[in-house]
Amino acid sequence: MKPSIKEQLPMKIEQIENMIYPFLPEEKGLQKTVLTAMNYSVKAGGKRLRPMLMLETYRMFGGEDLSVIKPFMAAIEMIHTYSLIHDDLPALDNDDLRRGLPTAHVKFGEAMAILAGDALLNYAFETASKAFCGDAQDITTAKAVQILAKKPGIYGMIGGQTVDVEEENKEISFDTLMYIHNNKTAALIECAMMIGAVLAGASEVEVATIEKIANKVGIAFQIEDDILDVVSTSETLGKPAGSDEKNGKNTYVLFRGLEQSGEDAKQYTEEALQLFDALEYKNDFLRELLLYLVGRKN
Amino acid sequence: MKPSIKEQLPMKIEQIENMIYPFLPEEKGLQKTVLTAMNYSVKAGGKRLRPMLMLETYRMFGGEDLSVIKPFMAAIEMIHTYSLIHDDLPALDNDDLRRGLPTAHVKFGEAMAILAGDALLNYAFETASKAFCGDAQDITTAKAVQILAKKPGIYGMIGGQTVDVEEENKEISFDTLMYIHNNKTAALIECAMMIGAVLAGASEVEVATIEKIANKVGIAFQIEDDILDVVSTSETLGKPAGSDEKNGKNTYVLFRGLEQSGEDAKQYTEEALQLFDALEYKNDFLRELLLYLVGRKN
């Protein structure tokens, strides 16, 4: 019997890590502490979803040269990691643990955590820009760098993060919640898949379709995450699901209720799949991975 | 009589600001606060030395198309500004004032200052990467982006900042001090002038010479800054120059003494000028600006 995606995932994660770790800096030189903090945070685990989605999208559109995609896989994981380090800081979420390990500021101090976050964001662009090689391929690489700069920025992830930080403990509108989910969560999924498509030579129309698919998957993923939050809270506290006080957190479930949230996630997923299946190119693993992300596959 | 560089500078600064401000984000949208904090910090003043050096180096090598250089001028000022915002944070230097104005974390809170710094660093690359236009010019732009990513990063400015933060209040070696000055200060001057040269089409040899000139100017500039620190401290406190306790700050003067520091700054400047004057291209304003920076011209 074919192994389930959940069974395949550990091996896939290891493959991704083997591809991105070589791009991390060597821990040597006078500035060794910041390099160690960067590597500690990147190596602290995670599902490596963004580089995995990037790679599989690249493969779907016929990309074969791994040397083209690898620097960008490393770069997006660096950007994701920097955002976690800075999110965890005392002035923001003040989290001491992530994935069971001390967060960067607990381990290395706050100053070094700020610098390590800055360093990862900066090094993401340094790593990606090393892919330029002085020939016509640079034109495609340039498009990928543009996406790498735009989606995590002020009109993407940082925008979402800003509103999330500002609106914590406040009543917000559903539109504001969707702005946060679209930018804080979906933008980096879009970034990953669009870069995979661009580097494989996909057309502008195809890249725009991939952006839509990634957005819908990102939103469905976030709704499922919000649902899990409520369900696990209700199990832990023994209270009926949805009865929790806001607790400062604006979630999809608060607006739509548990049942409708499930329906909405399903709807986003259906729409993503419809677009995906209409593409000329196929990637069965990517299709199952997308379904797995939105809680529809084990 | 020809106006002195000091007399010309206010007008030059205004010209630079008129060139870079249009690249700042509009303060609108749900994420408005972070955009306002970014613009507040960039507009808080400063001598605009890095974009000015970039522009003048570009002109020296025959660069004429301002639309090519402007995004990079804005980008390097954004990077310089983000480094100041994060430097000023409570976990680092804990400064409440910069250029007479409240620092970003005082004005917007610590979380927003961290995000505004991240946003400026990210937006620097978004701004620079907008210069890609899908044709052969992209190959030159790519080289400029590579420099923009490398010099402020872990093998440049962030490296220097890391060591400066770690070694504060500690006895360090002269080599370590030079590592800090080379990276924390000189790297961004090198970045500015090298990008100007690259975008104007300078040869690799010329760009390497510009890197050396910028390094020497950067070091001389930092030595002069260290000298001024000591002299102004001695004037304020009424103590003989150089007699101050370390006060946590590792300066050039502590190692070399006041007189030798002045000699060394002069030596670095002479070497920079020798390289500068041997170049095939000339820019009198740039030559005077470099001399002004290292305290040799008014």
Side-chain angles (χ1 to χ4, degrees), chain A residues 14-27:
Chain A
E14 201 186 323
Q15 285 171 356
I16 300 288
E17 289 176 346
N18 288 338
M19 292 168 83
I20 65 182
Y21 284 3
F23 289 91
L24 295 176
E26 274 190 77
E27 295 173 15

Side-chain angles (χ1 to χ4, degrees), chain A residues 24-257:
Chain A
L24 295 176
E26 274 190 77
E27 295 173 15
K28 65 176 191 188
L30 289 175
Q31 77 282 44
K32 189 178 166 181
T33 311
V34 78
L35 310 177
T36 307
M38 292 164 74
N39 293 350
Y40 170 82
S41 300
V42 173
K43 290 183 176 176
K47 294 186 291 296
R48 315 300 182 193
L49 284 180
R50 292 154 196 82
M52 198 182 290
L53 289 169
M54 188 186 284
L55 175 64
E56 294 301 333
T57 308
Y58 180 69
R59 283 184 169 148
M60 180 166 76
F61 285 102
E64 286 176 354
D65 182 357
L66 292 183
S67 71
V68 168
I69 193 82
K70 279 192 216 170
F72 284 90
M73 291 168 61
I76 201 164
E77 195 66 6
M78 289 176 200
I79 289 176
H80 175 57
T81 305
Y82 114 77
S83 78
L84 301 181
I85 296 176
H86 282 189
D87 264 23
D88 288 337
L89 285 169
L92 286 108
D93 287 354
N94 195 21
D95 279 322
D96 288 348
L97 282 174
R98 180 174 286 277
R99 298 177 187 130
L101 293 172
T103 45
H105 63 96
V106 170
K107 180 109 179 158
F108 298 94
E110 210 178 319
M112 213 44 69
I114 293 167
L115 287 172
D118 295 346
L120 281 168
L121 174 56
N122 193 125
Y123 204 56
F125 290 102
E126 186 167 348
T127 302
S129 71
K130 277 183 198 154
F132 289 120
C133 47
D135 63 25
Q137 171 68 27
D138 281 6
I139 294 168
T140 307
T141 307
K143 278 188 214 160
V145 168
Q146 283 180 324
I147 298 166
L148 189 73
K150 187 173 180 193
K151 291 288 180 185
I154 54 180
Y155 303 111
M157 188 180 72
I158 292 175
Q161 171 68 349
T162 299
V163 178
D164 195 29
V165 165
E166 279 202 302
E167 303 302 333
E168 212 179 1
N169 299 311
K170 286 184 196 160
E171 290 261 355
I172 62 169
S173 69
F174 185 67
D175 282 355
T176 302
L177 180 84
M178 288 309 291
Y179 175 87
I180 296 171
H181 284 2
N182 268 309
N183 288 285
K184 191 171 172 179
T185 308
L188 222 51
I189 309 283
E190 295 163 22
C191 183
M193 295 183 71
M194 287 169 78
I195 289 175
V198 161
L199 289 178
S203 70
E204 275 185 41
V205 173
E206 287 163 341
V207 174
T209 303
I210 284 293
E211 184 176 19
K212 279 186 203 143
I213 293 169
N215 177 266
K216 289 174 192 297
V217 168
I219 297 291
F221 175 65
Q222 187 59 58
I223 296 174
E224 287 296 334
D225 201 57
D226 286 358
I227 291 174
L228 273 178
D229 252 22
V230 173
V231 172
S232 66
T233 307
S234 105
E235 280 170 1
T236 314
L237 303 180
K239 286 190 289 181
S243 79
D244 311 271
E245 275 174 298
K246 277 187 103 173
N247 197 18
K249 231 187 162 180
N250 286 302
T251 73
Y252 198 91
V253 179
L254 274 168
F255 285 90
R256 296 296 203 207

Side-chain angles (χ1 to χ4, degrees), chain B residues 77-147:
Chain B
E77 195 66 7
M78 289 176 200
I79 289 176
H80 175 57
T81 306
Y82 113 79
S83 78
L84 300 181
I85 296 176
H86 281 189
D87 265 23
D88 287 336
L89 286 168
L92 287 108
D93 287 353
N94 195 23
D95 280 322
D96 289 348
L97 282 175
R98 180 174 286 277
R99 299 175 187 132
L101 292 172
T103 45
H105 64 94
V106 170
K107 179 109 179 156
F108 297 94
E110 208 177 321
M112 211 46 68
I114 293 167
L115 287 173
D118 295 346
L120 280 167
L121 174 56
N122 193 125
Y123 204 56
F125 290 102
E126 187 168 348
T127 302
S129 71
K130 277 183 198 154
F132 289 121
C133 48
D135 63 25
Q137 171 68 25
D138 281 5
I139 294 168
T140 306
T141 308
K143 276 188 213 160
V145 169
Q146 283 180 323
I147 298 166

